Amino acid sequence: MNSVSVRALLVRGMLAGLVAGALALAVAYFLGESRVDAAIALEESHAHDHGGGEELVSRTMQATGGLATGVLVFGVAIGGIAALVFCYVLGRIGSFGPRATAALVAGAALLTVYVVPFLKYPANPPAVGNPDTIGQRTGMFFLMVALSVLLAVAAVIFGKRLAPRLGNWNATTAAGAGYVLLIGLAYAFLPSFNEVGTDFPASLLWEFRLSTLAVQATLWTAFGLVFGYLTERLLVPAARTASSAGDRTAPRPADAVS
């Protein structure tokens, strides 16, 4: 793939990430912010009881400008990174077209970057968690992300090397089983944090975590669909044009005989 195609795909990936970020922003605002407000109300009630401090950034700014900036910038960033991954894996993971490859990249990213770390270290709303351990909890979450991504890459490489001997299906199954096993070991040996107070409503905690999962699912699903559409419009006509040019330059049977 030449540099022009990579640049064009990078731009389309960032554009798709922006569109996906806008849709994820809508989900985060309409589905998640009410849960955040409820959690903050609980936090403020305890702060008044114990003499809490004044907030540095207003809640209105957090729920509007801050949320929009964070989600949209994140969408553009992950769109660019996913586009580069797409450039590398296209044609290397089977005979998948641009749309199917984009869907596979988006699905793998959702699974490895968010779902697997989320199952070990789920998101917590305000008023949940010990402030003294926030640095350790954040570090463990990003360590889990790194482990998940690296093990997924290793599983793909392992599966491709096993494919000539075991066949694609058996090799994929073996690689997937190895990934699940190693992730399970990481779950078992990495520290866990159970800092949810007994007075925090379990239903609110569950709804908040589901809303964060919905935001990520919307982001990656929308990215896969939009980016797949854009890449197919870019790459499929170019491939057809190159094929037509090759057919015109190839000698016809009559010319070859003469």
Side-chain angles (χ1 to χ4, degrees):
M1 186 173 293
N2 57 50
S3 59
V4 176
S5 297
V6 172
R7 189 181 306 112
L9 288 171
L10 178 61
V11 171
R12 283 161 175 78
M14 297 173 69
L15 178 60
L18 180 62
V19 174
L23 294 175
L25 173 62
V27 174
Y29 185 79
F30 291 107
L31 187 62
E33 284 303 304
S34 60
R35 277 76 182 181
V36 175
D37 287 337
I40 289 177
L42 287 174
E43 185 179 36
E44 289 178 345
S45 65
H46 292 118
H48 289 316
D49 294 338
H50 300 89
E54 184 179 357
E55 63 182 5
L56 298 178
V57 181
S58 68
R59 174 63 188 143
T60 302
M61 178 59 68
Q62 294 175 14
T64 54
L67 178 65
T69 301
V71 175
L72 293 178
V73 169
F74 178 74
V76 173
I78 62 99
I81 296 172
L84 295 177
V85 174
F86 173 90
C87 293
Y88 178 78
V89 303
L90 182 63
R92 289 185 170 94
I93 55 174
S95 57
F96 297 105
R99 281 197 176 188
T101 303
L104 288 174
V105 169
L110 173 62
L111 178 66
T112 59
V113 176
Y114 190 78
V115 173
V116 170
F118 174 86
L119 293 177
K120 176 64 177 177
Y121 300 112
N124 287 330
V128 172
N130 183 355
D132 296 333
T133 63
I134 188 171
Q136 185 180 5
R137 286 184 280 124
T138 302
M140 287 297 100
F141 177 81
F142 283 110
L143 175 61
M144 195 68 231
V145 172
L147 285 174
S148 178
V149 172
L150 291 175
L151 289 176
V153 172
V156 172
I157 296 174
F158 184 63
K160 287 180 67 66
R161 291 185 177 180
L162 286 179
R165 287 182 293 172
L166 302 181
N168 290 332
W169 178 261
N170 292 332
T172 302
T173 302
Y179 173 80
V180 172
L181 174 63
L182 294 176
I183 287 295
L185 292 175
Y187 280 7
F189 286 103
L190 289 178
S192 299
F193 302 92
N194 186 13
E195 300 177 345
V196 180
T198 56
D199 58 341
F200 193 89
S203 60
L204 177 58
L205 178 65
W206 177 247
E207 290 171 358
F208 175 82
R209 290 176 173 175
L210 282 181
S211 66
T212 61
L213 186 60
V215 170
Q216 292 291 325
T218 301
L219 179 72
W220 288 108
T221 301
F223 173 80
L225 294 174
V226 175
F227 186 62
Y229 171 77
L230 294 177
T231 54
E232 188 170 53
R233 283 179 60 88
L234 173 69
L235 298 177
V236 172
R240 290 174 179 171
T241 301
S243 177
S244 299
D247 292 340
R248 287 195 299 268
T249 57
R252 293 174 297 177
D255 295 337
V257 172
S258 61

